[in-house]
């Protein structure tokens, strides 16, 4: 599939960009026709928030929450689907207690955790025992294979991640660690989820595609938009493609802040220029929808 760059001028009212695929055009048309049955689902890092060297310093784009607050009351729901713990994404995104965001949920740890704006609470099953085992073993494991220089461990509660962005050759370090970390994860009943210069060891059974599909089915949505930027978003892209084949129109958006994940761009119906471009798209959707979502459903 091709891609489309959104290069609109914020100072002027602009129409919603046209997806480059017929499936994407159908998805957008369904969203505009039936907003009360539409879910807008978004990754966090690289999509709502710029990628930064230290994940704890990540923050949602300053215009993201206002754009979401304008859009959310006009559709069935906004879902932030992320590998981060749900509570962490809520804190870094500034999503709690925002007027207009009552229709927001955060599906954290790839859907294993859920935060709902209505209750302000996180619900989750018991943690997988393999995560604690890997957490204890990982420092010595990395030291034993000589991988410490430039790599670092991020504690994610229900998962553990190894970053290589600070290594002298980040991609070479990432490639060298992928097989040994996969072996380590397998020994403890976990899987490895690759991302942008990060390898996350986490429990199997959930990914962004499963989380998104379950939420679409739960709400009975008749249209869905998913926006992401990373390898971890490929399952969500595949889920939207499957939903389309099942009769639920969908729009796939790639937040392209870099060239690191070409496959996502190739499969997208619409490409925007990182979090700033996504915010622009969210504003355009909010402006294009009627004030009362039931008016067009």
């Amino acid at each position: 599939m091709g891609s489309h760059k959104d290069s609109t001028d914020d100072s002027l009212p602009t129409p919603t960009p046209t997806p480059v695929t017929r499936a994407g055009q159908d998805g957008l048309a369904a969203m505009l026709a039936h907003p009360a049955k539409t879910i807008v689902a978004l990754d966090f890092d690289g999509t709502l928030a710029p990628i930064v060297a230290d994940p704890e310093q990540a923050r949602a784009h300053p215009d993201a929450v206002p754009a979401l607050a304008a859009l959310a009351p006009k559709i069935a729901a906004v879902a932030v689907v992320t590998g981060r713990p749900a509570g962490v994404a809520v804190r870094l995104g500034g999503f709690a207690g925002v007027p207009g965001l009552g229709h927001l949920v955060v599906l954290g740890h790839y859907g294993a955790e859920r935060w709902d704006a209505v209750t302000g609470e996180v619900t989750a099953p018991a943690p997988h025992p393999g995560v604690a085992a890997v957490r204890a073993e990982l420092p010595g494991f990395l030291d034993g294979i000589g991988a410490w220089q430039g790599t670092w461990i991020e504690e994610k509660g229900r998962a553990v991640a190894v970053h290589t962005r600070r290594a002298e050759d980040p991609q070479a370090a990432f490639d060298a660690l992928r097989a040994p970390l996969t072996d380590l994860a397998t020994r403890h009943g976990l899987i490895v989820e690759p991302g942008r210069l990060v390898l996350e060891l986490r429990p199997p059974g959930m990914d962004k595609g499963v989380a998104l599909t379950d939420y679409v089915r739960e709400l009975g949505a008749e249209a869905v938009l998913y926006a992401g930027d990373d390898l971890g978003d490929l399952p969500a892209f595949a889920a939207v493609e499957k939903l389309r084949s099942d009769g639920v129109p969908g729009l796939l958006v790639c937040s392209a802040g870099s060239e690191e994940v070409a496959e996502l761009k190739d499969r997208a119906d619409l490409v925007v220029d990182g979090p700033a471009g996504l915010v622009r798209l969210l504003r355009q959707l909010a402006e294009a929808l009627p004030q009362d979502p039931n008016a067009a459903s």
Side-chain angles (χ1 to χ4, degrees), residues 2-6 40-52 59-61 64 81 165 196 208 225-234 236-237 251-282:
S3 58
H4 173 81
K5 200 61 114 168
D6 173 21
V40 170
L42 311 160
D43 170 47
F44 186 74
D45 293 284
T47 302
L48 283 173
I51 293 290
V52 293
R59 296 294 184 273
H61 186 283
V81 189
R165 189 171 295 276
R196 280 194 193 180
K208 291 183 180 182
L225 176 152
Y226 185 82
D229 76 308
D230 204 346
L231 291 171
D233 296 302
L234 289 172
F237 269 44
L251 175 63
L252 291 169
V253 179
C254 175
S255 170
S258 78
E259 297 298 318
E260 288 180 27
V261 187
E263 184 179 352
L264 212 67
K265 291 180 69 174
D266 291 341
R267 290 171 65 173
D269 307 307
L270 190 66
V271 176
V272 296
D273 188 14
L278 179 72
V279 165
R280 190 176 303 119
L281 175 62
L282 295 174

Side-chain angles (χ1 to χ4, degrees), residues 117-146:
V118 174
T119 64
E121 297 178 352
V122 174
T123 57
H128 190 291
V131 175
V134 162
R135 182 181 297 119
E137 187 174 341
L138 194 53
F141 179 84
L142 291 174
D143 189 45
I145 62 175

Side-chain angles (χ1 to χ4, degrees), residues 25 27 78 133 151 153 169 206 227 235 254 272 293:
Q25 292 165 14
V78 171
T151 64
I153 299 170
D169 187 336
M206 287 299 294
C254 175
V272 296

